[in-house]
Amino acid sequence: MKILVIEDEETMVTALRALLAREGHEVVAARDGPDGLDAAKTTRPDLILLDLALPGLDGLEVCRRIRVFSTAPVIMLTARAGEGDKVTGLEVGADDYVTKPFSPRELIARVRAQLRRAQTYAQAAGRDLLQVGEITMDVPGRRVTVRDTEVRLPPKEFELLRVFMVNPGRVLGRDYLLDRVWGEDYAGDVRTLDVHVRWLREKIEREPGEPAHLLTVHGVGYRFQ
Ligand code: CA
């Protein structure tokens, strides 16, 4: 797997590179926030290890911006053990959190867990029958059932819901969703996504104004649960 390490401490980069190479991973390193963001776009890593305190752009902001276009698992590396940092990291779409100093064994276990999880999502993408809580989707039959009642969804809403249902619990960024659902059809109207989310909420939520499934992640996109 290809792992992007965004970290400004040279000794840490060297140690991570050796550790991950021993596991058979290819390592790409970036030394500051902006370079890390570029590398996430250009090298398309399978997983990202992201330092919290970085020059140029801090780790939380880098994570938020990566999440807008990528679903690669992000593990934050930090010297701060505060709970507040942890919550904020997870809110901007980080998948896990490791506090320095960490043991090589702990880090490798977290990396393996995230790669496994990413594989589960990838497998879900090919599944014909999807279920998340009270919502089920028969993909080839193009049927959606919410609380035992069939709901009719136009093609874009169906596709948007499908992308959410194969990624339960995951923060999905606006650019990622636009690319997946609209791709070349995207006409450039920034409201397109939000309008479709609103229509979808009206069909799947008990109370569309207080969604329980399709949640907004401010500055990033949406999370479905
Ligand atoms: Ca640092």
Side-chain angles (χ1 to χ4, degrees):
M1 295 283 153
K2 190 191 287 177
I3 298 185
L4 170 61
V5 175
I6 309 176
E7 164 69 83
D8 57 321
E9 283 166 62
E10 203 54 51
T11 49
M12 183 60 83
V13 175
T14 307
L16 288 172
R17 197 187 278 283
L19 184 62
L20 294 165
R22 241 186 350 247
E23 285 280 298
H25 299 303
E26 178 193 343
V27 176
V28 181
R31 302 298 196 280
D32 62 34
D35 279 356
L37 196 54
D38 277 349
K41 269 185 199 144
T42 56
T43 67
R44 305 175 67 85
D46 298 294
L47 183 142
I48 299 167
L49 292 176
L50 173 58
D51 185 28
L52 182 62
L54 283 170
L57 204 57
D58 79 53
L60 289 178
E61 189 53 31
V62 173
C63 183
R64 188 194 304 276
R65 294 193 195 180
I66 286 174
R67 202 40 95 226
V68 171
F69 63 86
S70 167
T71 56
V74 172
I75 301 177
M76 304 277 306
L77 309 175
T78 178
R80 300 184 222 158
E83 271 294 297
D85 292 328
K86 183 165 188 165
V87 170
T88 311
L90 300 179
E91 272 169 10
V92 296
D95 298 277
D96 202 357
Y97 217 82
V98 181
T99 305
K100 296 176 189 172
F102 45 78
S103 73
R105 185 183 299 183
E106 181 189 3
L107 185 84
I108 289 302
R110 304 279 178 116
V111 166
R112 282 185 186 155
Q114 288 303 325
L115 288 173
R116 249 194 327 267
R117 194 163 153 238
Q119 203 176 12
T120 312
Y121 284 122
Q123 285 163 352
R127 222 167 274 153
D128 284 348
L129 193 66
L130 300 168
Q131 180 174 14
V132 177
E134 53 196 17
I135 304 171
T136 55
M137 174 180 274
D138 163 9
V139 180
R142 304 197 72 79
R143 286 161 58 102
V144 174
T145 309
V146 181
R147 295 178 288 278
D148 299 325
T149 307
E150 190 176 345
V151 293
R152 301 210 162 271
L153 296 179
K156 292 298 187 207
E157 283 171 63
F158 182 90
E159 188 51 29
L160 183 60
L161 182 61
R162 195 186 70 81
V163 174
F164 282 126
M165 288 188 72
V166 297
N167 293 287
R170 224 174 185 189
V171 175
L172 300 177
R174 306 180 57 84
D175 290 355
Y176 176 83
L177 290 164
L178 284 168
D179 187 53
R180 278 302 160 103
V181 178
W182 284 270
E184 306 266 295
D185 301 344
Y186 175 50
D189 186 342
V190 293
R191 289 164 305 177
T192 302
L193 176 62
D194 303 308
V195 168
H196 280 75
V197 163
R198 201 173 72 223
W199 288 336
L200 208 45
R201 279 176 176 154
E202 281 163 10
K203 288 161 190 154
I204 65 171
E205 299 283 357
R206 283 175 200 269
E207 293 187 53
E210 283 176 50
H213 296 293
L214 220 174
L215 311 178
T216 300
V217 182
H218 291 291
V220 183
Y222 295 96
R223 186 161 59 84
F224 183 78
Q225 61 186 24

